[in-house]
Amino acid sequence: MVIVSKQNPIVKELSSLKEKKGRKARGTFLVEGEKMLSECEECGMEVVRVAILTADGRISRLQSPEFQKANSSKEMLFLGEDAFRAISDEKTPQGILAEVKIPSYPVEPPKGNCIFLDGVADPANVGAIVRTAAAAGYEEIYLADCADPFSPKCVRASMSGVFRTKLMRGTREELLSVLEGTPLIAADMDGENVFSFVPPERFCLCIGNEGNGLSEETKRRAAHTVSIPMEGGVESLNAAVSAGILMYELKK
């Protein structure tokens, strides 16, 4: 059966996952695109159901018996274009999306070098930082008062990073308490030049809000403060760009 109406209860249910309230209520999030879905499954994420756009001939392979057999353990939905677009967060939908369980990790001390995101508000920045962290080998990420890392925009920007990292969310006080004993390195304009800084063997890099920087509490608890030198009258870098530079430089 092909679902064509945007008013269908299943379509409304999946569409609600574009909003934080809907994700919280169902404990799931959306993953779009065949490559992202494939990486999601490779990383052991729990796929609840898969929705396929039936009106697009370019993805007819996804309707094949072979594809359906490979995904037989999941609920498969076939949607008309209007119904699919009501769920998709993409300007140009790729024709396949999935509802995936949000992984739940207990907030616990890090096992290696980690990242603390303190009030990073832009989901594109959160996603890009998670993506870079996964690539640079920072597997544990703590988030306090940040954009939801499982929003469609963040998941898209992370390019599978949200599948490959351990995302722990909590209050600032709770997370800083768990990080007690791990030297905090604060990223701040008034810090020491990161290119001459010698980091401790184990550390947690702290990245703050795009406009206001790190909270006073985080800065007060930091063992070190580092900055990226600027030239040509430039005052600051994008939070995700700064985080990427610092992540790689501190691991050299």
Side-chain angles (χ1 to χ4, degrees):
M1 182 185 79
V2 177
I3 300 171
V4 296
S5 174
K6 294 188 288 186
Q7 302 307 315
N8 182 282
I10 294 175
V11 173
K12 286 186 173 182
E13 197 170 76
L14 290 173
S15 182
S16 74
L17 300 180
K18 290 189 283 187
E19 305 299 328
K20 187 174 183 178
K21 182 179 178 181
R23 293 190 294 275
K24 185 176 181 180
R26 289 191 56 77
T28 56
F29 69 108
L30 290 174
V31 172
E32 292 207 46
E34 191 173 359
K35 184 176 185 295
M36 284 283 281
L37 179 53
S38 174
E39 292 186 2
C40 171
E41 293 179 306
E42 284 176 13
C43 294
M45 304 291 280
E46 183 181 345
V47 177
V48 178
R49 51 188 170 182
V50 178
I52 293 172
L53 172 62
T54 63
D56 191 339
R58 291 174 300 171
I59 60 155
S60 59
R61 183 185 69 76
L62 302 180
Q63 302 169 48
S64 69
E66 292 78 14
F67 180 86
Q68 292 182 51
K69 183 179 179 181
N71 291 274
S72 59
S73 62
K74 310 176 194 72
E75 181 183 353
M76 303 290 288
L77 305 171
F78 297 93
L79 308 180
E81 189 163 356
D82 286 350
F84 193 91
R85 285 186 176 276
I87 302 168
S88 174
D89 193 62
E90 301 271 10
K91 289 183 179 178
T92 307
Q94 298 180 49
I96 184 169
L97 55 81
E99 179 182 12
V100 180
K101 281 277 189 185
I102 294 174
S104 178
Y105 299 108
V107 176
E108 57 189 11
K111 294 180 174 62
N113 293 331
C114 60
I115 307 294
F116 175 48
L117 301 186
D118 185 9
V120 180
D122 187 334
N125 279 337
V126 172
I129 292 170
V130 170
R131 178 183 183 179
T132 305
Y138 293 81
E139 296 179 359
E140 295 157 305
I141 304 175
Y142 299 82
L143 302 96
D145 296 331
C146 292
D148 184 357
F150 295 102
S151 70
K153 190 172 184 179
C154 185
V155 172
R156 189 162 56 245
S158 82
M159 290 297 290
S160 83
V162 294
F163 314 144
R164 302 178 186 280
T165 52
K166 184 177 179 180
L167 303 175
M168 290 172 275
R169 294 183 280 179
T171 65
R172 184 175 291 106
E173 185 58 41
E174 178 186 11
L175 298 181
L176 288 174
S177 176
V178 162
L179 290 167
E180 194 86 40
T182 300
L184 302 185
I185 301 178
D188 188 82
M189 292 290 290
D190 296 325
E192 180 182 344
N193 186 330
V194 70
F195 298 111
S196 57
F197 172 71
V198 179
E201 186 175 342
R202 287 186 67 248
F203 61 84
C204 174
L205 171 62
C206 305
I207 304 294
N209 176 267
E210 293 86 347
N212 302 317
L214 290 165
S215 65
E216 289 302 318
E217 179 67 12
T218 301
K219 286 195 283 189
R220 192 161 53 246
R221 296 202 190 187
H224 311 278
T225 304
V226 297
S227 65
I228 300 169
M230 306 284 172
E231 295 185 13
V234 176
E235 294 184 356
S236 65
L237 293 173
N238 168 274
V241 173
S242 297
I245 293 171
L246 294 170
M247 277 187 246
Y248 276 98
E249 182 61 26
L250 291 172
K251 287 198 79 173
K252 280 173 62 175

